[in-house]
């Protein structure tokens, strides 16, 4: 079983749609949860991070963590064509530096 | 957002050759990381480095790999004898500190192709 499983996509939505991106994990040691955005042939860019279960909102983005279910989500409201990218979930445990990534979900927002 | 730069942007090499990938520093960032991403696959952790020592390494980071800061400035990843399966994007990342919650800033990557 992979430590981090991400809904594979690809995902194609019309502009203005609400997007839900999801990951599950198996390692209970993961305590820090991140979402990265990666444009083609670029490095990952941190979008959001959270430590605890619950929701964290930043503009059109909401990160949700449910530690009891080992499930995290990223919601994008009012999606824009500029949101088109690959979204990566990532997690860290007590080994502070190492991030474990999901496979990524490629999102296309059509005008 | 702090900018991380990497050189070269692309590298083509023959199997068995040595390659050195470089990461240009952000002045006050002391923690360094290398990740790789094989085409179509996930980003994978290779190694973390602090105070001129490896902090942690993955099972991928075998004896063919090494890291150093040769002049206290650039952070390098060396692959001694490249294999076809080393073809990937290699990302350097840096953080101000090493805590679990520290943001790692990724460079744009070096695309390595081993023929």
């Amino acid at each position: 079983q992979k430590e981090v499983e991400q809904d594979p996509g690809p995902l194609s939505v019309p502009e203005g749609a609400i997007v839900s991106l999801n990951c599950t994990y198996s390692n209970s040691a993961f305590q820090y949860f991140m979402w990265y955005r990666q444009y083609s042939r670029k490095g990952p860019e941190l979008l959001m991070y959270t430590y605890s279960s619950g929701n964290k909102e930043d503009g059109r983005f909401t990160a949700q963590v449910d530690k009891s279910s080992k499930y995290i989500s990223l919601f994008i409201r009012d999606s824009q064509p500029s949101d088109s990218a690959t979204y990566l979930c990532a997690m860290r445990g007590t080994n502070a530096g190492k991030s474990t990534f999901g496979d990524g979900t490629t999102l296309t927002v059509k005008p | 957002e702090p900018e991380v730069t990497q050189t070269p942007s692309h590298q083509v090499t023959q199997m068995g050759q040595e390659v050195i990938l470089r990461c240009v520093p952000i002045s006050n960032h002391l923690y360094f990381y290398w990740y790789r991403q094989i085409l179509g696959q996930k980003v994978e952790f290779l190694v973390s480095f602090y105070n001129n020592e490896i902090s942690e390494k993955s099972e991928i980071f075998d004896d063919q790999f090494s890291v150093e800061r040769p002049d206290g400035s650039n952070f390098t990843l060396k692959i001694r004898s490249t294999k076809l399966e080393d073809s990937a994007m290699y990302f350097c990342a840096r953080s101000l500190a090493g805590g679990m919650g520290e943001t790692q800033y990724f460079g744009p990557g070096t695309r390595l192709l081993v023929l």
Side-chain angles (χ1 to χ4, degrees), chain A residues 32 38 41 51 92-93 96-97, chain B residues 35 37 98 100-102 104 111:
Chain A
Y32 185 69
Q38 186 178 25
R41 298 177 180 270
Y51 285 95
R92 289 186 210 150
Chain B
Y35 292 82
Q37 186 176 30
M100 183 175 64
E102 288 295 322
Q104 294 179 6
R111 183 170 297 277

Side-chain angles (χ1 to χ4, degrees), chain A residues 21-95:
Chain A
L21 304 166
N22 307 293
C23 289
T24 58
Y25 62 97
S26 59
N27 189 343
S28 299
F30 289 142
Q31 299 294 325
Y32 185 69
F33 306 93
M34 298 158 282
W35 285 96
Y36 284 85
R37 179 172 60 196
Q38 186 178 25
Y39 293 111
S40 181
R41 298 177 180 270
K42 300 289 187 183
E45 172 195 8
L46 182 65
L47 273 178
M48 296 188 71
Y49 62 89
T50 183
Y51 285 95
S52 56
S53 284
N55 294 349
K56 181 178 180 181
E57 191 172 316
D58 183 3
R60 295 185 296 109
F61 297 88
T62 299
Q64 189 176 82
V65 173
D66 181 348
K67 287 188 176 180
S68 63
S69 301
K70 296 188 176 66
Y71 189 88
I72 71 170
S73 298
L74 178 70
F75 298 96
I76 307 173
R77 291 183 298 281
D78 187 24
S79 55
Q80 303 294 309
S82 57
D83 295 329
S84 298
T86 297
Y87 290 81
L88 311 171
C89 64
M91 307 177 190
R92 289 186 210 150
T94 50
N95 290 332

Side-chain angles (χ1 to χ4, degrees), chain B residues 64-105:
Chain B
Q64 296 294 329
F65 292 90
S66 62
V67 289
E68 63 176 358
R69 291 187 77 192
D71 53 6
S73 180
N74 291 346
F75 177 49
T76 64
L77 174 70
K78 181 190 291 185
I79 310 174
R80 288 190 186 83
S81 179
T82 50
K83 304 187 283 281
L84 296 177
E85 54 266 36
D86 294 327
S87 296
M89 282 288 286
Y90 287 82
F91 295 108
C92 169
R94 313 174 70 95
S95 62
L96 184 60
M100 183 175 64
E102 288 295 322
T103 298
Q104 294 179 6
Y105 297 95

Side-chain angles (χ1 to χ4, degrees), chain B residues 14-97:
Chain B
Q14 296 290 323
M15 189 171 57
Q17 295 297 303
E18 175 183 284
V19 295
I20 298 176
L21 312 180
R22 291 180 174 80
C23 182
V24 181
I26 301 168
S27 59
N28 58 344
H29 282 212
L30 303 178
Y31 292 78
F32 308 85
Y33 314 87
W34 284 101
Y35 292 82
R36 79 172 186 189
Q37 186 176 30
I38 295 171
L39 186 64
Q41 298 186 25
K42 66 180 180 181
V43 175
E44 299 174 290
F45 172 81
L46 292 178
V47 66
S48 59
F49 186 87
Y50 168 70
N51 199 27
N52 288 319
E53 290 186 354
I54 290 174
S55 307
E56 186 182 3
K57 60 182 181 180
S58 71
E59 62 277 6
I60 303 169
F61 194 88
D62 60 21
D63 291 344
Q64 296 294 329
F65 292 90
S66 62
V67 289
E68 63 176 358
R69 291 187 77 192
D71 53 6
S73 180
N74 291 346
F75 177 49
T76 64
L77 174 70
K78 181 190 291 185
I79 310 174
R80 288 190 186 83
S81 179
T82 50
K83 304 187 283 281
L84 296 177
E85 54 266 36
D86 294 327
S87 296
M89 282 288 286
Y90 287 82
F91 295 108
C92 169
R94 313 174 70 95
S95 62
L96 184 60

